[in-house]
Amino acid sequence: MTDQTIDATIDAASAAAAALGARGGRARSDAKTEAARANGQKGGRPRTRPSVRYRCARCRKTIDGAASRAPFCPTRHRTPVRMLRVAEAA
Ligand SMILES: [Zn+2]
């Protein structure tokens, strides 16, 4: 057996394996690949926000949160009290 016939046999075997794999269906459709590319153009996943500590000005309770807007104090005050941003929590 020459090197060339060995190469040809390997090519034929991998072609047969590829055909078998294709019959089973693809793991990812062309439409999905295209959609993923388009989404990638928009910048991908948003960054995770660092945790921020908030303090209630009325009862001094502190909580850690990653909210884009200051949360209301969980203590039941007579009126809802928005908490104040204190510092970046560890
Ligand atoms: Zn409070």
Side-chain angles (χ1 to χ4, degrees), residues 55-61 72-77 81 83:
R55 182 175 61 80
C56 176
R58 207 174 288 181
C59 68
R60 290 169 177 249
K61 186 182 180 72
F72 286 111
C73 178
T75 306
R76 298 300 237 156
H77 298 295
V81 177
M83 301 184 86

Side-chain angles (χ1 to χ4, degrees), residues 19-40:
L20 271 172
R23 253 191 80 74
R26 285 178 182 281
R28 198 178 187 106
S29 69
D30 291 343
K32 192 162 185 171
T33 305
E34 221 167 89
R37 293 249 162 81
N39 286 333

Side-chain angles (χ1 to χ4, degrees), residues 5-59:
T5 55
I6 289 169
D7 283 351
T9 309
I10 289 168
D11 283 351
S14 70
L20 271 172
R23 253 191 80 74
R26 285 178 182 281
R28 198 178 187 106
S29 69
D30 291 343
K32 192 162 185 171
T33 305
E34 221 167 89
R37 293 249 162 81
N39 286 333
Q41 290 293 312
K42 294 176 190 170
R45 288 217 167 263
R47 299 186 55 178
T48 54
R49 290 173 183 283
S51 187
V52 177
R53 179 157 290 159
Y54 292 97
R55 182 175 61 80
C56 176
R58 207 174 288 181
C59 68

